[in-house]
Amino acid sequence: MSDEHQETTSEGPLPVASIDDPHMREAVGNPRRAENSIALFLVLGILGVGVFGAAYVQNWKPWTLGVSLGLGLFFLGFGLSAWGKYLMPQGPFSEARHALHSARAEREAISAALVERTGVVIRRRGMLGGLLATGFGIFGIVAIFPGLRSLGPLPGLTLTKTNWRRGSLLVDANGRAIHRDTLDPGGIVTVFPAGYEDNTQSQAVDQTVLIRVQFTDLVTEKGRATWAPEGYVAYSKLCTHAGCPVGLYERQLRLLVCPCHQSMFNIDDGAVPEFGPAPRPLPQLPLYIDALGFLRAQAPYDQPVGPGYWERTTT
Amino acid sequence: MSLAAPRTKRQAKSARGSYGRVGQVIDELDDRLGIAKGGRVFLDKIFPDHWSFLLGEIALYSFIVLIATGVFLTLYYVPSQTEVIYHGAYAPLRGLKVSEAYASTVNLSLFVRAGLLMRQMHHWAADVFLGAIVIHMARIFFTGAFRKPRELNWTIGLTLLTLSLANGFIGYSLPDDLISGTGLRIMFSIVLSIPFVGTYIAFWLFGGNYPGTVIIPRLFIIHVLILPAIIAALIGAHLFLLVRQKHTQFPGKGRTADNVVGSPMYPTFMAKTTGYMFMVTAVLTVLGGIAQINPIWQFGQYQPAKISYAVQPDWYMGWLDGALRIMPSWEFTAWGHTIPFVVLLPAVVFPGLIFTICYAWPAIERRFTGDNDIHHLLDRPRDRPKRTAAGAAMIALMLTLLGASATDVLANFFQVSLNEVLWTFRILVFIVPIVVGVFTWRICLEIQGGGADIGKRKRALIVTRSATGEYRTVETAPQPDDQHEELEPIEVPVKIDMTESDGDTAGEPGVRTVSR
């Protein structure tokens, strides 16, 4: 192996030990008893793996497979380890540890080879070296195109957009439109813009939580006087912290809670984060109720939904 | 030297051949590959007998279990996010829209014979693998085994830890169930938080905006090919360096910087370690059989607008989740750009810092101690109080963060407000590491004096009272059983002289008899 150059080990006579050298004795006082115990373990191991075979063929419950195979392997392993520990020569044995480093002359030889050949062979062809480096450099850069660029589209404005439009009908996951009578105060439902409710990709950005807080219009913030008609208020369901769905509603405290990292948003107050790591309020979707009594969006979200990122421009 | 040259097989056999078929095979191999001497040295390789050297082996054997069970799983798992209507045998899912990845995972768990056992073994093996790596690393750290000449192996080991963390997380994401999908969503947001390039990396990784349709197949090939190949290669390098540089050992009788004392590879160590491999596998098998882990058929298919409550990641990701939870809600917006420190600091900068410190530790310590010597003998942790304190503080920090990943569960369990739990952890994360570090340092100093008789078998003490009322403490005489403590280590004997001698072998060459 590694000792190719360490001739010392093969110089002297190979080490011999007498069978009654104390190092060669079993490591346990009563080898006979140890042997019997180990035999017992091995037999138990054989039984265990045998039972596993039966359990598999008979299609017994999964836990019987795990327990039988596990116990079988354990006893086999325990027996083997015990054999090694108790019935093999107790030693202690040692091997010499030789210094890893080479002789001074060897070190100098390799340094000389590197330095002097560089000077003689490579440096005098500086132009070739430069061209080669340029070639490899350009290759490294162009290799990025298939290596990275092909992996996916550029983000562009994707993160700023959802499928909510002016007039989008609010529907639940099954495509049912939300009527002004659908929810009682305290009721909550996850909504999507009609036509996108069945699409995983759209759901991921459009998901909006609709809560009916009261029967009268709710003003969550200055300038949002008409946004929550008849107490229906809608916020983006994407947490502004790490993008989890803000899936829990604490009805008494009127808080939306994110189960991932426990950010809490006050729904009366424009979903301002009251607690936890979320840095921004959940964007609010302005709603209106159409002539037939169905809820629709007045406008898209006025800002990107979800967690922050470098290109996000607004607070 | 040239044993091969002019001899026929028969001559070779008659010249040396008292070892029958084995000798013949060795001859043939040695003629072609020159394995005799190196092979013998390898069989004689010495493994120290200390228990703490077995921690890395748990990791190695867990990895073998991971490969074996993982190959089984690939035969049934379908790495595809294509949505299908479930028509399989699991009634609660019938008629629902699920991804092929999820459907195939449910199928292999519930309807492939031994499938659930294999999947749960795989998951448990991953958890044990990471745990064994961490504890093994702690052993290396506290005993100073990372010092020159072993810094490179420390680096390889840390890289193994990093890649295994990544592969553990990725494997957890593959079933495309409700909980793993949420984990992926958080990962997407973490990548997004990186300034300048975050959105680009996130879009390239996921093939567009979250969730896309390619992330599961991509993670699959990373999980089953790319990372395992790198991990296996690095394990090979790790073990090669271990053989090349030989084991460290604790100081003790007959143990010097110039030798290694313990059991020879063949047969003692091989028997013990193979048995150990079976036992590690056995524990993982029993866990896989009776300890349910990640029952994804109960969680349901991932849907972006759905989420479950009180879910924690696998334990080795807990410290990152905890850091995310306790970070204050800082986000910086100016000049048309946003830096979400609330995610960037705990999930990108902080782990980067932790791993940088770990990678740099051998250099840091060398800088402070000025110790550039070669070390083969291990430190006792108490003898390096500052290093031990630093390590203990690091472990305390990680455990505190792990605790912080359960803020909601703790608040529920102790019926206290989440706010109080959160603030407790925000304070503890600074205090606990400092307190633990200082205490560890003090304890090390206090116990430094003791333990001079380390490695010796304890003898009973007898307290006697003389007729005059004087008390004396006397150590009992050495028992016959203590005798082996006195043996000096010998080189592994290549040949064993089977004749029972009268013990007077001192004259024979190469035989050392140690008087008892």
Side-chain angles (χ1 to χ4, degrees), chain A residues 9 19 32 35 54 58 66 92 102 133 144 155 160 183 216 244 262 288:
Chain A
T9 45
I19 190 66
R32 193 70 223 166
E35 190 178 347
Q58 296 294 319
S102 322
I144 292 175
T160 64
L183 295 182
T216 54
C244 291
Q262 286 77 49
Y288 72 94

Side-chain angles (χ1 to χ4, degrees), chain A residues 15 23 97 200 237 242 280 312, chain B residues 83 189 258 305 331 338 488:
Chain A
H23 291 86
R97 187 200 300 276
T200 305
K237 201 179 174 182
R280 267 174 287 112
R312 195 178 198 282
Chain B
E83 289 174 330
S189 305
D258 299 322
E331 189 174 80
T338 300
E488 285 281 351

Side-chain angles (χ1 to χ4, degrees), chain A residues 15 17 19-20 23 25 56 81 93-95 97 151 198 200-201 237 242 261-262 277 280 310-312, chain B residues 83 97 113 189 199 209 212 218 247 258 260 262 272 305 321 325 331 337-338 488 490 494-495 497 501:
Chain A
I19 190 66
D20 59 355
H23 291 86
R25 292 219 184 112
Y56 184 89
S81 277
F93 299 105
S94 73
E95 67 176 332
R97 187 200 300 276
L151 289 175
D198 207 25
T200 305
Q201 191 67 32
K237 201 179 174 182
H261 307 105
Q262 286 77 49
R280 267 174 287 112
W310 175 246
E311 291 88 351
R312 195 178 198 282
Chain B
E83 289 174 330
K97 201 164 73 171
R113 208 176 281 194
S189 305
T199 47
N209 199 2
R218 282 183 184 176
H247 278 81
D258 299 322
V260 190
K272 288 199 281 191
D321 193 51
R325 287 179 184 219
E331 189 174 80
H337 288 290
T338 300
E488 285 281 351
I490 60 168
V494 170
K495 298 193 178 201
D497 179 1
S501 74

Side-chain angles (χ1 to χ4, degrees), chain A residues 29-283:
Chain A
N30 188 345
R32 193 70 223 166
R33 214 178 71 196
E35 190 178 347
N36 289 339
S37 311
I38 291 168
L40 179 66
F41 286 123
L42 294 181
V43 168
L44 287 173
I46 293 166
L47 282 178
V49 293
V51 169
F52 171 76
Y56 184 89
V57 171
Q58 296 294 319
N59 201 13
W60 293 343
K61 289 207 176 342
W63 71 266
T64 59
L65 296 173
V67 170
S68 58
L69 182 63
L71 289 179
L73 290 178
F74 187 85
F75 284 125
L76 288 178
F78 194 85
L80 181 51
S81 277
W83 186 358
K85 184 172 168 64
Y86 297 116
L87 293 183
M88 289 187 184
Q90 61 169 326
F93 299 105
S94 73
E95 67 176 332
R97 187 200 300 276
H98 306 287
L100 282 168
H101 63 78
S102 322
R104 187 81 240 163
E106 277 296 333
R107 286 191 185 186
E108 278 175 13
I110 186 171
S111 302
L114 285 170
V115 172
E116 287 170 12
R117 282 180 210 166
T118 307
V120 174
V121 181
I122 297 177
R123 268 217 210 105
R124 69 159 61 153
R125 307 275 182 254
M127 188 190 68
L128 294 184
L131 285 173
L132 199 62
T134 311
F136 285 153
I138 293 176
F139 168 72
I141 293 167
V142 297
I144 292 175
F145 291 116
L148 278 183
R149 183 62 188 83
S150 298
L151 289 175
L154 297 180
L157 295 176
T158 314
L159 286 168
T160 64
K161 290 179 184 156
T162 68
N163 296 303
W164 289 103
R165 301 281 175 271
R166 181 186 165 81
S168 290
L169 184 66
L170 274 63
V171 298
D172 67 12
N174 298 316
R176 283 185 298 246
I178 308 296
H179 190 263
R180 61 171 17 129
D181 298 328
T182 303
L183 295 182
D184 289 324
I188 179 170
V189 65
T190 301
V191 293
F192 307 94
Y196 296 95
E197 71 276 4
D198 207 25
N199 181 319
T200 305
Q201 191 67 32
S202 310
Q203 279 182 358
V205 292
D206 297 340
Q207 51 179 299
T208 295
V209 57
L210 177 73
I211 302 169
R212 185 160 204 197
V213 182
Q214 56 199 32
F215 287 111
T216 54
D217 292 0
L218 174 74
V219 183
T220 58
E221 237 178 57
K222 229 182 198 172
R224 298 185 180 177
T226 64
W227 285 23
E230 300 189 9
Y232 277 100
V233 63
Y235 292 108
S236 164
K237 201 179 174 182
L238 275 182
C239 187
T240 54
H241 173 227
C244 291
V246 184
L248 302 174
Y249 178 46
E250 176 51 72
R251 195 166 299 167
Q252 261 77 40
L253 303 171
R254 312 242 273 213
L255 289 175
L256 276 169
V257 184
C258 178
C260 285
H261 307 105
Q262 286 77 49
S263 294
M264 297 181 185
F265 304 89
N266 186 331
I267 59 160
D268 285 339
D269 212 12
V272 168
E274 287 210 336
F275 175 82
R280 267 174 287 112
L282 300 170

